[in-house]
Amino acid sequence: MIVGIASDHGGFETKQILMEHLKSQNYTVIDFGNTVNDSTDDYPDYVIPLARAVVEGKVNRGIAICGSGVGASIAVNKVKGVRAALVHDNFAAHQGVEDDDMNILCMGGRIIGAETALELASTFLRAEFSKANRHVRRLKKVKGLEDSFGIVPESKKKHKSK
Ligand code: RB5
């Protein structure tokens, strides 16, 4: 499996530890940066190229890390075809894949320790989408939202329906 990984300075140390660990577990790891710990860098510059690689099939799964994991998850979910979540517990790390076909795991390097990040990544990478009918049906509904470019709330519509 090819795993893509990306972080800003808030997730840099976690990313470096995670990369070495995953390589030792025989995963092929592609680093989308940042490759140096730069306190002025911006997470979209690294996590968006990772997100593109995931939807283009250049990597099988992605791991995006920032300080809290929030910015990374908001950013990557803007890329059509990404199904990412901020996950800090083991249950969601596998169920997010099994039920929701999550393809990018987001974590907060300033919130969890390296050992927890390794465990979550390992759980995420071992999990497989169940392909159960009910989950496929739900995913189709999610994809429908994506295809229609999101839902415009009635209050924001220029011409309100009567
Ligand atoms: C960077 O200081 C920090 O804001 C960023 O890593 C992340 O936590 C954003 O969600």
Side-chain angles (χ1 to χ4, degrees):
M1 179 186 283
I2 306 174
V3 181
I5 190 164
S7 80
D8 68 351
H9 56 283
F12 183 78
E13 284 175 21
T14 308
K15 174 169 76 68
Q16 300 307 106
I17 294 168
L18 202 46
M19 269 198 318
E20 290 317 309
H21 176 79
L22 292 175
K23 284 180 190 167
S24 78
Q25 301 286 304
N26 293 322
Y27 287 102
T28 301
V29 183
I30 299 180
D31 183 6
F32 288 82
N34 195 346
T35 55
V36 291
N37 195 348
D38 173 1
S39 64
T40 66
D41 67 9
D42 302 324
Y43 57 82
D45 296 338
Y46 310 101
V47 301
I48 294 300
L50 163 68
R52 288 210 172 102
V54 169
V55 298
E56 287 165 0
K58 291 178 181 162
V59 299
N60 302 107
R61 300 259 174 98
I63 299 174
I65 313 165
C66 64
S68 64
V70 173
S73 63
I74 289 172
V76 296
N77 275 310
K78 303 290 181 197
V79 178
K80 197 170 177 177
V82 164
R83 293 174 299 277
L86 170 54
V87 171
H88 285 160
D89 68 275
N90 203 56
F91 177 76
H94 64 83
Q95 203 208 249
V97 178
E98 291 157 359
D99 291 10
D100 310 307
D101 206 12
M102 172 168 68
N103 52 15
I104 298 184
L105 172 72
C106 302
M107 297 186 283
R110 290 175 177 156
I111 298 176
I112 54 169
E115 284 301 322
T116 303
L118 298 183
E119 189 175 324
L120 294 174
S122 166
T123 299
F124 165 65
L125 295 173
R126 284 199 309 259
E128 293 292 339
F129 179 48
S130 71
K131 296 187 181 156
N133 286 342
R134 66 188 186 285
H135 296 310
V136 170
R137 183 181 71 234
R138 290 161 192 160
L139 275 176
K140 272 188 191 157
K141 292 183 181 182
V142 173
K143 189 171 183 306
L145 292 171
E146 198 176 55
D147 291 343
S148 65
F149 218 68
I151 299 167
V152 181
E154 196 63 31
S155 61
K156 301 265 184 208
K157 284 183 185 166
K158 285 185 182 155
H159 305 289
K160 291 183 189 172
S161 56
K162 291 182 181 166

